[in-house]
Amino acid sequence: MNDAPAVPACSRKYIIIGAVAGGASAAARLRRMDEKAIIILFEKSDYISYANCGLPYYIGDIIKERQKLFVQTAASFTKRFAIDVRVCTEVKSIDTDTKSITATNLITGETYTETYDKLVLSPGAEPVRPPLEGIGLPGIFTLRNVVDTDTIKSYVQKFPAGKAVIIGAGFIGLEMAENLHQLGMQVSIIEMGNQVLAPLDFSMAAIVQQHIRSKGISLYLSTSVTGFEKDKNGLQVILNGSEALLADVVILSIGVKPDTRLAIQAGLKIGKAKGILVNQFLQTSDPHIYAVGDAIEFENPITGTSVTTFLAGPANKQGRICANNIVFENKYPYNGSIGTAIVKAFDLTVGTTGLSAKNLKANGIDHLLSTTYSGSHAAYYPGSEQMNIQLVFAPVTGLLLGAQVVGTKGVDKRIDLLASVIKNGGSIFDLTEIEHAYAPPFSSAKDPVNIAGFTAENILLKRMNAFYCDDVSSLGKNNFIIDVRTEKEYKEGRINNAINIPLDDLRGRLKEVPIDRDIYVYCMIGLRGYMASRILMQNGFEKVYNLSGGYQLWFTANEEKELAILKSEAKLERVLEI
């Protein structure tokens, strides 16, 4: 909106509970929009504004100076914004009838009340700590705030070449694995699910898993922790169906849940996703109370279902929008978050936005899928690296529903482009026309996002029929499989029952292809397979399918599945022995 409403003439009193991303952003915006207001910011810790996402990198000595983690201190925030900042003070209750809160100074023990005209809840989320035997033993940590960070950093320094076990293979789990490995520790990751990074589809996660193992990390998938024991050698991490792991330090990265204790006490509505329910203006069920950050739930822009998100970007934006709505009386809707996230996993960068194919399938949403490989920049310029882009999109309309990118360079730029298209209701056709800055060190004349769009368009318009990694195992003798790579590539590894007809020879060998059977073609990454499918389709072969992502993606995903099967069989043998 260009014409902002006038600021109310009378001064009002705003209380914000919880600082960091959402709360601190709301407080600063409130001051900028209402110079005369009384603003009180309560924070139960010592720290009001710090870089949560930088905490693992400080532990790993990538960030050397602790002070660089802090965006604002209580003193600097007070001086700049004229806000009454009360750290080490916990709000114990909210009385919606009297529009007041009760707070306790955690240093002096003093308890007192404050009234408000409008209140902002920003309590964040709290780490999940399952009730496992021994979970309270020394050396077992969660990472959520500065205090946790200082404690972990001090503790791991006692074990410069020790053993670390990370429980949970989400974003923070992988970041902690990398940073403890950076310190010289021997790292193991335990994940209850069958893959790392749950928001990804399996084939994309498989690429990450292979890379993690190549760095010497022990990865235990489909494995659960049943408890912890202490002995003379350190901590024993007891696993279901596997031998116990010895650890000097254990990081619990199982996940977080919205901190809704104050909201429940105040009688505010909690949603299906167990977060504080807010409307489009970030207003709770009480019209005088707003909420932002990790504790809230809102409507997913793609599915319309109620969701939570634990990301700093949305929390900061919510803080700003919330403040605008408080001052200007609900003029600025929050349009939700599509879960755009990125993580560094050793040499790989992994980005995701929107919905995954498995999530769409679970929600009964029809979709098509496309996977492409492209160079991060022009191949003739030194240093180009391959990146993998997966798109999911709606049949008929081509509406873009989700995207995942895995690579070493330029992933951030591409996932941001894709997220912008999704957030603005764009389609794969928009990707084909994305205008990007091009010079050889940065991209190609056809950017990887353009290529992904071209391929998705071909699938949508049935210029190419795709089949996928999961389909390969079901191909039988009634299907004719053609490997259109070179003879050398074919001999180095191939899909069972595939015959080799190199792409450049295909036109001269069409008589070798049966006209009455379904034809499945593949190459290394999908491009030659697409060209082969076009040749066949225009020469009378009606049922022709090209392997999306090619042999490279199938081999990676299949190798990970085979490894999982072998480990499952080994676990079963151990159980039978017992």
Side-chain angles (χ1 to χ4, degrees):
M1 295 186 181
N2 294 323
D3 299 322
V7 177
C10 58
S11 86
R12 294 194 287 181
K13 185 176 180 182
Y14 308 130
I15 284 179
I16 299 98
I17 302 173
V20 196
S25 294
R29 182 67 174 175
L30 281 169
R31 174 54 75 219
R32 291 195 296 272
M33 295 298 101
D34 191 347
E35 179 65 20
K36 303 300 182 182
I38 299 167
I39 305 173
I40 306 174
L41 175 60
F42 289 93
E43 170 56 47
K44 64 183 177 182
S45 75
D46 283 323
Y47 311 100
I48 65 159
S49 186
Y50 58 89
N52 297 66
C53 300
L55 301 181
Y57 300 99
Y58 172 64
I59 292 171
D61 277 344
I62 301 299
I63 298 172
K64 302 289 186 183
E65 298 176 38
R66 182 177 181 272
Q67 195 57 35
K68 288 188 175 180
L69 294 172
F70 301 100
V71 181
Q72 291 274 3
T73 65
S76 66
F77 202 76
T78 298
K79 184 175 182 180
R80 173 154 296 179
F81 296 104
I83 289 173
D84 183 355
V85 180
R86 302 181 188 179
V87 295
C88 300
T89 302
E90 183 175 4
V91 175
K92 298 289 190 178
S93 63
I94 302 169
D95 188 326
T96 56
D97 292 331
T98 61
K99 292 171 66 178
S100 65
I101 60 98
T102 300
T104 299
N105 185 311
L106 300 178
I107 297 174
T108 66
E110 176 193 4
T111 297
Y112 58 91
T113 62
E114 288 282 359
T115 59
Y116 60 84
D117 291 306
K118 299 291 182 182
L119 184 145
V120 179
L121 268 175
S122 180
E126 51 188 354
V128 174
R129 289 182 68 95
L132 299 174
E133 185 176 350
I135 199 167
L137 289 170
I140 302 174
F141 305 99
T142 57
L143 176 61
R144 189 66 187 164
N145 53 43
V146 175
V147 174
D148 295 339
T149 304
D150 290 339
T151 304
I152 294 170
K153 189 172 179 69
S154 174
Y155 195 88
V156 298
Q157 287 174 350
K158 302 173 186 175
F159 307 97
K163 293 181 173 63
V165 172
I166 313 294
I167 302 174
F171 289 84
I172 298 299
L174 295 194
E175 288 175 346
M176 283 303 301
E178 178 180 351
N179 279 280
L180 294 179
H181 180 269
Q182 163 79 14
L183 294 177
M185 301 190 79
Q186 181 181 327
V187 179
S188 300
I189 302 174
I190 304 168
E191 169 56 48
M192 186 181 292
N194 69 339
Q195 65 171 74
V196 302
L197 299 174
L200 296 185
D201 287 308
F202 182 84
S203 59
M204 300 294 277
I207 301 169
V208 184
Q209 288 164 197
Q210 274 199 347
H211 182 68
I212 289 171
R213 289 194 179 97
S214 76
K215 297 297 181 179
I217 305 297
S218 298
L219 188 56
Y220 296 81
L221 299 172
S222 302
T223 302
S224 58
V225 176
T226 59
F228 306 91
E229 295 177 0
K230 182 78 173 176
D231 64 20
K232 62 180 181 179
N233 296 314
L235 288 164
Q236 293 284 340
V237 183
I238 312 303
L239 306 180
N240 181 26
S242 297
E243 294 180 5
L245 295 178
L246 179 64
D248 297 302
V249 60
V250 173
I251 305 294
L252 299 174
S253 185
I254 302 169
V256 295
K257 58 183 179 180
D259 185 347
T260 57
R261 290 170 293 184
L262 265 179
I264 292 171
Q265 176 276 318
L268 304 180
K269 285 186 179 178
I270 304 300
K272 293 180 180 179
K274 308 301 182 186
I276 303 169
L277 196 62
V278 295
N279 64 16
Q280 62 178 328
F281 302 113
L282 299 168
Q283 194 174 33
T284 69
S285 54
D286 184 301
H288 303 291
I289 301 177
Y290 293 71
V292 298
D294 294 352
I296 72 169
E297 67 174 83
F298 48 83
E299 187 176 285
N300 182 284
I302 301 172
T303 64
T305 57
S306 198
V307 297
T308 55
T309 187
F310 307 110
L311 298 167
N316 275 280
K317 296 176 184 70
Q318 291 160 14
R320 178 187 173 89
I321 293 169
C322 167
N324 286 344
N325 286 322
I326 288 173
V327 175
F328 302 126
E329 299 181 354
N330 294 351
K331 305 286 186 187
Y332 300 87
Y334 175 61
N335 295 316
S337 166
I338 56 173
T340 305
I342 195 164
V343 65
K344 180 181 180 296
F346 294 92
D347 301 327
L348 285 182
T349 305
V350 184
T352 179
T353 186
L355 300 178
S356 63
K358 64 183 178 184
N359 192 289
L360 289 165
K361 185 177 180 181
N363 282 278
I365 299 174
D366 288 339
H367 62 280
L368 297 172
L369 185 149
S370 171
T371 306
T372 53
Y373 282 91
S374 301
S376 56
H377 61 249
Y380 60 83
Y381 187 90
S384 179
E385 298 283 352
Q386 199 172 66
M387 72 168 61
N388 187 320
I389 299 180
Q390 177 181 286
L391 305 180
V392 284
F393 49 97
V396 183
T397 65
L399 183 72
L400 190 58
L401 302 173
Q404 298 168 18
V405 186
V406 178
T408 57
K409 296 178 179 179
V411 170
D412 53 342
K413 176 165 75 171
R414 276 64 184 216
I415 201 67
D416 287 345
L417 283 172
L418 293 162
S420 295
V421 172
I422 295 172
K423 195 72 186 288
N424 288 298
S427 73
I428 58 166
F429 301 109
D430 295 310
L431 301 184
T432 67
E433 297 185 14
I434 283 280
E435 185 172 339
H436 63 286
Y438 161 58
F442 306 105
S443 184
S444 298
K446 296 175 183 177
D447 189 78
V449 170
N450 298 138
I451 298 296
F454 297 151
T455 305
E457 180 187 58
N458 285 334
I459 292 173
L460 182 68
L461 300 179
K462 299 190 182 304
R463 293 167 183 158
M464 178 182 74
N465 301 310
F467 75 107
Y468 303 97
C469 296
D470 289 343
D471 299 326
V472 172
S473 60
S474 63
L475 298 181
K477 292 182 179 179
N478 292 327
N479 307 123
F480 195 75
I481 308 170
I482 307 175
D483 184 328
V484 298
R485 298 175 300 162
T486 65
E487 184 179 355
K488 179 177 182 294
E489 290 174 295
Y490 176 78
K491 288 180 177 179
E492 288 174 349
R494 58 188 178 275
I495 292 173
N496 286 340
N497 301 318
I499 67 162
N500 183 217
I501 306 178
L503 174 63
D504 294 340
D505 300 340
L506 181 59
R507 288 184 180 89
R509 296 174 62 180
L510 289 176
K511 291 182 179 179
E512 298 177 32
V513 183
I515 196 75
D516 58 344
R517 290 164 69 182
D518 293 354
I519 312 300
Y520 291 83
V521 300
Y522 70 89
C523 63
M524 185 56 77
I525 61 174
L527 178 58
R528 284 174 288 175
Y530 163 63
M531 294 176 181
S533 72
R534 292 301 300 161
I535 292 170
L536 291 165
M537 290 170 72
Q538 294 178 84
N539 277 279
F541 297 89
E542 294 181 359
K543 295 182 178 180
V544 182
Y545 304 87
N546 179 36
L547 180 58
S548 185
Y551 180 82
Q552 182 168 308
L553 186 65
W554 171 80
F555 180 82
T556 302
N558 190 62
E559 192 174 56
E560 284 296 311
K561 285 184 178 178
E562 290 291 332
L563 186 59
I565 291 170
L566 288 172
K567 286 191 173 183
S568 295
E569 290 174 349
K571 285 181 186 178
L572 180 60
E573 285 180 9
R574 280 194 289 270
V575 171
L576 292 174
E577 286 173 2
I578 294 171

